[in-house]
mmCIF file of all heavy atoms in Angstrom:
data_model
loop_
_atom_site.group_PDB
_atom_site.id
_atom_site.type_symbol
_atom_site.label_atom_id
_atom_site.label_comp_id
_atom_site.label_asym_id
_atom_site.label_seq_id
_atom_site.Cartn_x
_atom_site.Cartn_y
_atom_site.Cartn_z
ATOM 1 N N PRO T 95 -24.905 2.511 5.018
ATOM 2 C CA PRO T 95 -26.196 2.808 5.659
ATOM 3 C C PRO T 95 -26.956 1.554 6.078
ATOM 4 O O PRO T 95 -27.575 1.517 7.139
ATOM 5 C CB PRO T 95 -26.949 3.595 4.588
ATOM 6 C CG PRO T 95 -25.895 4.189 3.725
ATOM 7 C CD PRO T 95 -24.777 3.190 3.721
ATOM 8 N N ALA T 172 -23.028 -15.301 4.903
ATOM 9 C CA ALA T 172 -23.880 -14.777 3.845
ATOM 10 C C ALA T 172 -23.113 -13.646 3.186
ATOM 11 O O ALA T 172 -22.841 -12.622 3.815
ATOM 12 C CB ALA T 172 -25.200 -14.285 4.410
ATOM 13 N N TRP T 189 -15.512 -17.156 -7.548
ATOM 14 C CA TRP T 189 -16.595 -18.157 -7.662
ATOM 15 C C TRP T 189 -16.040 -19.582 -7.622
ATOM 16 O O TRP T 189 -16.740 -20.524 -7.260
ATOM 17 C CB TRP T 189 -17.373 -17.961 -8.970
ATOM 18 C CG TRP T 189 -18.127 -16.668 -9.062
ATOM 19 C CD1 TRP T 189 -17.866 -15.623 -9.902
ATOM 20 C CD2 TRP T 189 -19.274 -16.271 -8.299
ATOM 21 N NE1 TRP T 189 -18.769 -14.613 -9.702
ATOM 22 C CE2 TRP T 189 -19.652 -14.983 -8.739
ATOM 23 C CE3 TRP T 189 -20.014 -16.887 -7.290
ATOM 24 C CZ2 TRP T 189 -20.739 -14.296 -8.187
ATOM 25 C CZ3 TRP T 189 -21.104 -16.209 -6.756
ATOM 26 C CH2 TRP T 189 -21.456 -14.929 -7.195
ATOM 27 N N ASP T 301 -37.317 15.757 -10.606
ATOM 28 C CA ASP T 301 -37.101 16.754 -11.671
ATOM 29 C C ASP T 301 -37.281 16.141 -13.057
ATOM 30 O O ASP T 301 -36.532 16.445 -14.003
ATOM 31 C CB ASP T 301 -35.706 17.375 -11.556
ATOM 32 C CG ASP T 301 -35.521 18.179 -10.282
ATOM 33 O OD1 ASP T 301 -36.541 18.623 -9.712
ATOM 34 O OD2 ASP T 301 -34.364 18.344 -9.853
ATOM 35 N N HIS T 318 -31.063 18.281 -3.554
ATOM 36 C CA HIS T 318 -31.044 19.626 -2.979
ATOM 37 C C HIS T 318 -32.236 19.912 -2.051
ATOM 38 O O HIS T 318 -32.879 20.959 -2.173
ATOM 39 C CB HIS T 318 -31.017 20.669 -4.101
ATOM 40 C CG HIS T 318 -29.945 20.447 -5.110
ATOM 41 N ND1 HIS T 318 -28.602 20.530 -4.798
ATOM 42 C CD2 HIS T 318 -30.019 20.108 -6.428
ATOM 43 C CE1 HIS T 318 -27.893 20.268 -5.888
ATOM 44 N NE2 HIS T 318 -28.719 20.011 -6.886
ATOM 45 N N ALA T 405 11.156 -24.707 5.846
ATOM 46 C CA ALA T 405 10.104 -25.704 5.626
ATOM 47 C C ALA T 405 10.158 -26.815 6.666
ATOM 48 O O ALA T 405 9.110 -27.348 7.069
ATOM 49 C CB ALA T 405 10.222 -26.283 4.223
ATOM 50 N N VAL T 437 6.696 -29.363 3.991
ATOM 51 C CA VAL T 437 5.414 -29.352 4.707
ATOM 52 C C VAL T 437 4.514 -30.469 4.216
ATOM 53 O O VAL T 437 3.634 -30.948 4.958
ATOM 54 C CB VAL T 437 4.693 -27.989 4.586
ATOM 55 C CG1 VAL T 437 5.520 -26.874 5.179
ATOM 56 C CG2 VAL T 437 4.321 -27.674 3.147
ATOM 57 N N LEU T 480 -9.034 -12.626 10.040
ATOM 58 C CA LEU T 480 -10.064 -11.754 10.616
ATOM 59 C C LEU T 480 -11.055 -12.520 11.472
ATOM 60 O O LEU T 480 -11.772 -11.921 12.285
ATOM 61 C CB LEU T 480 -10.789 -11.005 9.495
ATOM 62 C CG LEU T 480 -9.974 -9.883 8.844
ATOM 63 C CD1 LEU T 480 -10.544 -9.519 7.484
ATOM 64 C CD2 LEU T 480 -9.933 -8.661 9.742
ATOM 65 N N LEU T 514 -9.993 1.167 17.834
ATOM 66 C CA LEU T 514 -11.306 0.826 18.379
ATOM 67 C C LEU T 514 -11.119 -0.148 19.536
ATOM 68 O O LEU T 514 -10.773 -1.312 19.310
ATOM 69 C CB LEU T 514 -12.192 0.202 17.298
ATOM 70 C CG LEU T 514 -12.424 1.059 16.051
ATOM 71 C CD1 LEU T 514 -13.137 0.244 14.976
ATOM 72 C CD2 LEU T 514 -13.226 2.310 16.390
ATOM 73 N N ILE T 520 -5.984 -9.092 15.928
ATOM 74 C CA ILE T 520 -5.951 -10.366 15.212
ATOM 75 C C ILE T 520 -4.494 -10.741 14.927
ATOM 76 O O ILE T 520 -3.576 -9.942 15.116
ATOM 77 C CB ILE T 520 -6.747 -10.292 13.900
ATOM 78 C CG1 ILE T 520 -6.139 -9.232 12.961
ATOM 79 C CG2 ILE T 520 -8.214 -9.993 14.184
ATOM 80 C CD1 ILE T 520 -6.744 -9.222 11.559
ATOM 81 N N VAL T 634 21.597 -12.034 -0.759
ATOM 82 C CA VAL T 634 22.604 -11.834 -1.803
ATOM 83 C C VAL T 634 23.463 -10.604 -1.525
ATOM 84 O O VAL T 634 24.697 -10.673 -1.659
ATOM 85 C CB VAL T 634 21.937 -11.771 -3.193
ATOM 86 C CG1 VAL T 634 22.931 -11.317 -4.262
ATOM 87 C CG2 VAL T 634 21.370 -13.146 -3.556
ATOM 88 N N HIS T 679 21.578 8.644 18.427
ATOM 89 C CA HIS T 679 22.765 8.206 19.167
ATOM 90 C C HIS T 679 23.113 6.763 18.827
ATOM 91 O O HIS T 679 24.275 6.425 18.536
ATOM 92 C CB HIS T 679 22.518 8.369 20.668
ATOM 93 C CG HIS T 679 23.688 7.975 21.515
ATOM 94 N ND1 HIS T 679 23.883 6.663 21.957
ATOM 95 C CD2 HIS T 679 24.740 8.688 21.980
ATOM 96 C CE1 HIS T 679 24.986 6.602 22.670
ATOM 97 N NE2 HIS T 679 25.534 7.821 22.700
ATOM 98 N N ILE T 715 26.206 8.099 3.218
ATOM 99 C CA ILE T 715 25.660 6.769 2.931
ATOM 100 C C ILE T 715 25.470 6.613 1.429
ATOM 101 O O ILE T 715 24.702 7.347 0.799
ATOM 102 C CB ILE T 715 24.323 6.564 3.671
ATOM 103 C CG1 ILE T 715 24.523 6.724 5.186
ATOM 104 C CG2 ILE T 715 23.746 5.189 3.344
ATOM 105 C CD1 ILE T 715 23.229 6.687 5.975
ATOM 106 N N VAL T 747 34.230 1.479 -2.262
ATOM 107 C CA VAL T 747 35.053 1.667 -1.065
ATOM 108 C C VAL T 747 36.311 2.444 -1.420
ATOM 109 O O VAL T 747 36.689 3.421 -0.738
ATOM 110 C CB VAL T 747 35.403 0.310 -0.432
ATOM 111 C CG1 VAL T 747 36.484 0.472 0.633
ATOM 112 C CG2 VAL T 747 34.153 -0.326 0.178
ATOM 113 N N ASP T 782 28.780 -18.913 -14.045
ATOM 114 C CA ASP T 782 29.729 -17.981 -13.451
ATOM 115 C C ASP T 782 31.122 -18.576 -13.333
ATOM 116 O O ASP T 782 31.308 -19.808 -13.364
ATOM 117 C CB ASP T 782 29.222 -17.553 -12.072
ATOM 118 C CG ASP T 782 28.041 -16.613 -12.167
ATOM 119 O OD1 ASP T 782 28.066 -15.720 -13.028
ATOM 120 O OD2 ASP T 782 27.073 -16.788 -11.385
#
Side-chain angles (χ1 to χ4, degrees):
W189 295 112
D301 295 337
H318 308 295
V437 299
L480 287 161
L514 302 171
I520 61 172
V634 170
H679 181 272
I715 301 174
V747 168
D782 287 318

